[in-house]
Amino acid sequence: MSTDQALPASALAAHNDNTARRAESDRRADNAFRYLVTGAGLFVLLALAGAAFSMLWGGKLAFSTFGISFLTTTDWDAVGHKFGALVPIYGTLVTALIAMLIAVPVSFGIALFLTEVAPPWLRTPVASAIELLAGIPSIIYGMWGLFVFVPVMSSTVIPFLNKYLGPLPILGPLFQGPPLGIGMLTAGIVLAIMVIPFISSVMREVFLTVPTRLKESAYALGSTTWEVSWNVVLPYTRSAVIGGVFLGLGRALGETMAVTFVLGNAHHLTASLLMPGNSIAATIANEFSEADSEIYQSSLVALGFLLFIVTFVVLAIAKLMLMRLNRNEGAK
Amino acid sequence: MSAIAEKLYRRRRLKNSIALVMASAATLFGLFWLVWILWTTLVNGIGALKPELFYQMTPPPGEDGGLANAFFGSMLMSILAILMGTPVGILAGTFLAEYARRSYLGEAIRFINDILLSAPSIVLGLFVYTLVVRPMGHFSGFAGAITLALIVLPVVVRTTDEMLKLVPSQMREAALSLGVPQWKVTVQVLYRSALPGIVTGILLALARISGETAPLLFTALNNQFWSHDLSGPLASVPVVVFQYAMSPYDTWHELAWAGAFMVTVFVLCISLIARAIIARRKVAND
């Protein structure tokens, strides 16, 4: 205060004026920055909404022309302008199902190995190696599938399946067919390899959140490692494990390149898993740049819209399941 | 009594051993594919490497050539995508971490962003097709870059959000108590502290878009010649690899393997660098 009094009145006024102006400009800059970041945040919402609406718009023609029969018929006739999406929808669901049947137990095993079985020095390197699988671009899986895995399938695996599973009463028709190598089973296996790292890394992370006290109590009662995992760790993390599985399912449904290489792009509905088929994503990738008529292109966009809706729902379920574990964690 | 207990105990032990062996087998199963796929790419890719790759154009069937235009096209689109996606992503991540940490809007954006993160990329390609390619009337490198930017965006948003949340709140309070306006606190204090994490996010995004194929098929399409014209069709390595691998020609297969090898090596290197940055940061924070 004493220094203020020593200053001439005019200097003091100038100083106050300066501070006020400074505060004013800071306030304005703060507001501008707030608008800027809010705008960027809203842009994320806008991007997803825009994607949904633009595809609905693009697929409008197909939906209005074919109605519900778009989902239930198998015609895919570019010349006669008749399109039904049952084959790609069926292929998408079947390949994703095969992938999950293989990937879920394997991922559980990997997560178990990395949290309970492996010696500590081995855990980090193996986990990183498995996560490396997730980083490999999908087109590499596709090329490997086409040039390396398909020949193996057609020369050894498919004859084997034909011989031993083909004659079975109910499952038999699934495994009968010529040894082409290309087909839904091959695509499902390649998808399984692709989603294993996603599911196993989610499972590993949630297994690590289980309180040590809980596990040690079970061990102290004489449980084996397996009993601890199955009766303590898994129930504790159930919702997040389901979330991880759905996350993998979302990936498997939408995966394009790896499947396009090994699925064969055939528009026939067959019971056999060994026959070429199609999936929504593969159909779009194969045919979009060649779609010459308005209705053809619209049908492909409509397929994209279906894929978008399905993956959105699956991923939303995954996210909600994963959030549930976090909430329980927070409540403690 | 003790005989029964003994039997039960043995059965439990056996079950445990089987389960643990199966778990180890599952891990070997996972590693087996990793090794097989990488080995295939390595052997075929190194066999197909040659200097012409880097200065000759993609050839018509049956002729020799390289991938120079594809490398250039990929580089151009990736850089542009990073330049477009990163600023928006950092700002949106800032909004989530600093301005909307507990609000409903923030939760909604975070939710949508996580879905965008795992959404099929081909869907984003269709979106940009209807938004950019159709009105313009032709395929363009610019449309390709926008698609890739939409893939970069959620990755950067997520990492920025998480890294800013890790910055201790004492840092914010200290700066604010000195009278520094909030935007300056964010830009000059928080960003600086979270920088390694944000850079990691950008690198991960780059790794992701370098192998991205599906959405480029109907946005940037392909171009057999050298082009730096972003308003026309542009070649990219993954699309060329796809086209050549699906073809019946041996010379094209070889080029496809070379391209696949280059993409894989690039992606793996970037991921390793990103990992190293994060690991070092963890050590520094302890």
Side-chain angles (χ1 to χ4, degrees), chain A residues 21-37:
Chain A
R21 212 179 303 137
R22 183 79 179 274
E24 175 62 23
S25 81
D26 277 351
R27 202 179 56 80
R28 219 175 295 144
D30 256 353
N31 274 339
F33 190 69
R34 171 184 279 273
Y35 286 131
L36 191 65
V37 295

mmCIF file of all heavy atoms in Angstrom, chain A residues 21-37:
data_model
loop_
_atom_site.group_PDB
_atom_site.id
_atom_site.type_symbol
_atom_site.label_atom_id
_atom_site.label_comp_id
_atom_site.label_asym_id
_atom_site.label_seq_id
_atom_site.Cartn_x
_atom_site.Cartn_y
_atom_site.Cartn_z
ATOM 1 N N ARG A 21 -7.623 -4.087 -18.284
ATOM 2 C CA ARG A 21 -7.619 -4.442 -19.698
ATOM 3 C C ARG A 21 -7.079 -5.864 -19.874
ATOM 4 O O ARG A 21 -7.579 -6.652 -20.660
ATOM 5 C CB ARG A 21 -6.780 -3.426 -20.485
ATOM 6 C CG ARG A 21 -7.325 -3.237 -21.895
ATOM 7 C CD ARG A 21 -6.519 -2.218 -22.678
ATOM 8 N NE ARG A 21 -6.436 -0.917 -22.032
ATOM 9 C CZ ARG A 21 -5.297 -0.201 -21.969
ATOM 10 N NH1 ARG A 21 -4.179 -0.684 -22.485
ATOM 11 N NH2 ARG A 21 -5.295 0.977 -21.393
ATOM 12 N N ARG A 22 -6.040 -6.141 -19.095
ATOM 13 C CA ARG A 22 -5.422 -7.462 -19.136
ATOM 14 C C ARG A 22 -6.433 -8.540 -18.744
ATOM 15 O O ARG A 22 -6.584 -9.559 -19.430
ATOM 16 C CB ARG A 22 -4.241 -7.461 -18.166
ATOM 17 C CG ARG A 22 -3.431 -8.713 -18.114
ATOM 18 C CD ARG A 22 -2.477 -8.779 -19.284
ATOM 19 N NE ARG A 22 -1.701 -9.981 -19.206
ATOM 20 C CZ ARG A 22 -0.580 -10.097 -18.523
ATOM 21 N NH1 ARG A 22 -0.081 -9.059 -17.906
ATOM 22 N NH2 ARG A 22 0.064 -11.235 -18.496
ATOM 23 N N ALA A 23 -7.149 -8.260 -17.653
ATOM 24 C CA ALA A 23 -8.135 -9.245 -17.191
ATOM 25 C C ALA A 23 -9.208 -9.444 -18.246
ATOM 26 O O ALA A 23 -9.647 -10.564 -18.511
ATOM 27 C CB ALA A 23 -8.770 -8.763 -15.886
ATOM 28 N N GLU A 24 -9.600 -8.321 -18.876
ATOM 29 C CA GLU A 24 -10.634 -8.388 -19.900
ATOM 30 C C GLU A 24 -10.174 -9.256 -21.080
ATOM 31 O O GLU A 24 -10.895 -10.136 -21.558
ATOM 32 C CB GLU A 24 -10.966 -6.960 -20.362
ATOM 33 C CG GLU A 24 -11.934 -6.865 -21.519
ATOM 34 C CD GLU A 24 -13.301 -7.448 -21.182
ATOM 35 O OE1 GLU A 24 -13.625 -7.515 -19.979
ATOM 36 O OE2 GLU A 24 -14.008 -7.862 -22.113
ATOM 37 N N SER A 25 -8.944 -9.045 -21.533
ATOM 38 C CA SER A 25 -8.465 -9.794 -22.696
ATOM 39 C C SER A 25 -8.242 -11.262 -22.326
ATOM 40 O O SER A 25 -8.493 -12.156 -23.122
ATOM 41 C CB SER A 25 -7.186 -9.174 -23.259
ATOM 42 O OG SER A 25 -6.076 -9.584 -22.501
ATOM 43 N N ASP A 26 -7.802 -11.521 -21.085
ATOM 44 C CA ASP A 26 -7.662 -12.907 -20.636
ATOM 45 C C ASP A 26 -9.004 -13.619 -20.655
ATOM 46 O O ASP A 26 -9.120 -14.764 -21.076
ATOM 47 C CB ASP A 26 -7.110 -12.947 -19.193
ATOM 48 C CG ASP A 26 -5.604 -12.809 -19.179
ATOM 49 O OD1 ASP A 26 -5.014 -12.868 -20.288
ATOM 50 O OD2 ASP A 26 -5.041 -12.626 -18.098
ATOM 51 N N ARG A 27 -10.010 -12.874 -20.179
ATOM 52 C CA ARG A 27 -11.342 -13.464 -20.115
ATOM 53 C C ARG A 27 -11.830 -13.807 -21.513
ATOM 54 O O ARG A 27 -12.374 -14.888 -21.759
ATOM 55 C CB ARG A 27 -12.307 -12.477 -19.448
ATOM 56 C CG ARG A 27 -13.552 -13.134 -18.850
ATOM 57 C CD ARG A 27 -14.439 -12.091 -18.196
ATOM 58 N NE ARG A 27 -14.806 -11.040 -19.134
ATOM 59 C CZ ARG A 27 -15.773 -11.164 -20.038
ATOM 60 N NH1 ARG A 27 -16.468 -12.283 -20.101
ATOM 61 N NH2 ARG A 27 -16.066 -10.181 -20.867
ATOM 62 N N ARG A 28 -11.566 -12.887 -22.436
ATOM 63 C CA ARG A 28 -12.022 -13.121 -23.801
ATOM 64 C C ARG A 28 -11.289 -14.313 -24.412
ATOM 65 O O ARG A 28 -11.883 -15.165 -25.048
ATOM 66 C CB ARG A 28 -11.810 -11.858 -24.645
ATOM 67 C CG ARG A 28 -12.965 -11.626 -25.599
ATOM 68 C CD ARG A 28 -12.834 -10.324 -26.337
ATOM 69 N NE ARG A 28 -12.915 -9.157 -25.463
ATOM 70 C CZ ARG A 28 -12.183 -8.040 -25.659
ATOM 71 N NH1 ARG A 28 -11.329 -7.968 -26.668
ATOM 72 N NH2 ARG A 28 -12.320 -7.017 -24.846
ATOM 73 N N ALA A 29 -9.974 -14.371 -24.179
ATOM 74 C CA ALA A 29 -9.194 -15.486 -24.716
ATOM 75 C C ALA A 29 -9.646 -16.809 -24.106
ATOM 76 O O ALA A 29 -9.765 -17.817 -24.802
ATOM 77 C CB ALA A 29 -7.708 -15.262 -24.431
ATOM 78 N N ASP A 30 -9.947 -16.780 -22.815
ATOM 79 C CA ASP A 30 -10.421 -17.997 -22.151
ATOM 80 C C ASP A 30 -11.714 -18.492 -22.763
ATOM 81 O O ASP A 30 -11.887 -19.681 -23.013
ATOM 82 C CB ASP A 30 -10.649 -17.720 -20.652
ATOM 83 C CG ASP A 30 -9.536 -18.307 -19.813
ATOM 84 O OD1 ASP A 30 -8.691 -19.018 -20.399
ATOM 85 O OD2 ASP A 30 -9.506 -18.058 -18.608
ATOM 86 N N ASN A 31 -12.620 -17.524 -22.992
ATOM 87 C CA ASN A 31 -13.897 -17.896 -23.602
ATOM 88 C C ASN A 31 -13.704 -18.467 -24.992
ATOM 89 O O ASN A 31 -14.305 -19.477 -25.354
ATOM 90 C CB ASN A 31 -14.826 -16.683 -23.673
ATOM 91 C CG ASN A 31 -15.599 -16.527 -22.378
ATOM 92 O OD1 ASN A 31 -15.730 -17.492 -21.633
ATOM 93 N ND2 ASN A 31 -16.083 -15.323 -22.110
ATOM 94 N N ALA A 32 -12.845 -17.788 -25.776
ATOM 95 C CA ALA A 32 -12.600 -18.259 -27.137
ATOM 96 C C ALA A 32 -12.052 -19.675 -27.109
ATOM 97 O O ALA A 32 -12.482 -20.545 -27.879
ATOM 98 C CB ALA A 32 -11.622 -17.322 -27.845
ATOM 99 N N PHE A 33 -11.118 -19.935 -26.189
ATOM 100 C CA PHE A 33 -10.513 -21.256 -26.102
ATOM 101 C C PHE A 33 -11.563 -22.301 -25.710
ATOM 102 O O PHE A 33 -11.603 -23.403 -26.260
ATOM 103 C CB PHE A 33 -9.383 -21.245 -25.070
ATOM 104 C CG PHE A 33 -8.543 -22.487 -25.090
ATOM 105 C CD1 PHE A 33 -7.702 -22.753 -26.162
ATOM 106 C CD2 PHE A 33 -8.587 -23.386 -24.037
ATOM 107 C CE1 PHE A 33 -6.929 -23.898 -26.190
ATOM 108 C CE2 PHE A 33 -7.814 -24.542 -24.065
ATOM 109 C CZ PHE A 33 -6.980 -24.792 -25.135
ATOM 110 N N ARG A 34 -12.442 -21.889 -24.781
ATOM 111 C CA ARG A 34 -13.494 -22.820 -24.358
ATOM 112 C C ARG A 34 -14.397 -23.175 -25.531
ATOM 113 O O ARG A 34 -14.743 -24.333 -25.730
ATOM 114 C CB ARG A 34 -14.306 -22.172 -23.229
ATOM 115 C CG ARG A 34 -15.551 -22.947 -22.842
ATOM 116 C CD ARG A 34 -16.330 -22.175 -21.796
ATOM 117 N NE ARG A 34 -15.782 -22.367 -20.471
ATOM 118 C CZ ARG A 34 -16.140 -23.385 -19.669
ATOM 119 N NH1 ARG A 34 -17.001 -24.272 -20.090
ATOM 120 N NH2 ARG A 34 -15.623 -23.504 -18.480
ATOM 121 N N TYR A 35 -14.777 -22.145 -26.340
ATOM 122 C CA TYR A 35 -15.611 -22.432 -27.501
ATOM 123 C C TYR A 35 -14.890 -23.352 -28.467
ATOM 124 O O TYR A 35 -15.470 -24.259 -29.049
ATOM 125 C CB TYR A 35 -16.010 -21.130 -28.214
ATOM 126 C CG TYR A 35 -17.047 -20.351 -27.459
ATOM 127 C CD1 TYR A 35 -16.899 -18.994 -27.218
ATOM 128 C CD2 TYR A 35 -18.185 -20.991 -26.971
ATOM 129 C CE1 TYR A 35 -17.858 -18.280 -26.513
ATOM 130 C CE2 TYR A 35 -19.148 -20.290 -26.258
ATOM 131 C CZ TYR A 35 -18.967 -18.938 -26.033
ATOM 132 O OH TYR A 35 -19.913 -18.263 -25.330
ATOM 133 N N LEU A 36 -13.589 -23.097 -28.636
ATOM 134 C CA LEU A 36 -12.799 -23.881 -29.585
ATOM 135 C C LEU A 36 -12.810 -25.363 -29.191
ATOM 136 O O LEU A 36 -13.109 -26.236 -30.008
ATOM 137 C CB LEU A 36 -11.366 -23.344 -29.610
ATOM 138 C CG LEU A 36 -10.456 -23.860 -30.705
ATOM 139 C CD1 LEU A 36 -10.946 -23.411 -32.071
ATOM 140 C CD2 LEU A 36 -9.033 -23.371 -30.480
ATOM 141 N N VAL A 37 -12.468 -25.645 -27.926
ATOM 142 C CA VAL A 37 -12.394 -27.052 -27.525
ATOM 143 C C VAL A 37 -13.781 -27.696 -27.487
ATOM 144 O O VAL A 37 -13.937 -28.862 -27.834
ATOM 145 C CB VAL A 37 -11.683 -27.242 -26.159
ATOM 146 C CG1 VAL A 37 -10.239 -26.817 -26.256
ATOM 147 C CG2 VAL A 37 -12.388 -26.536 -25.048
#
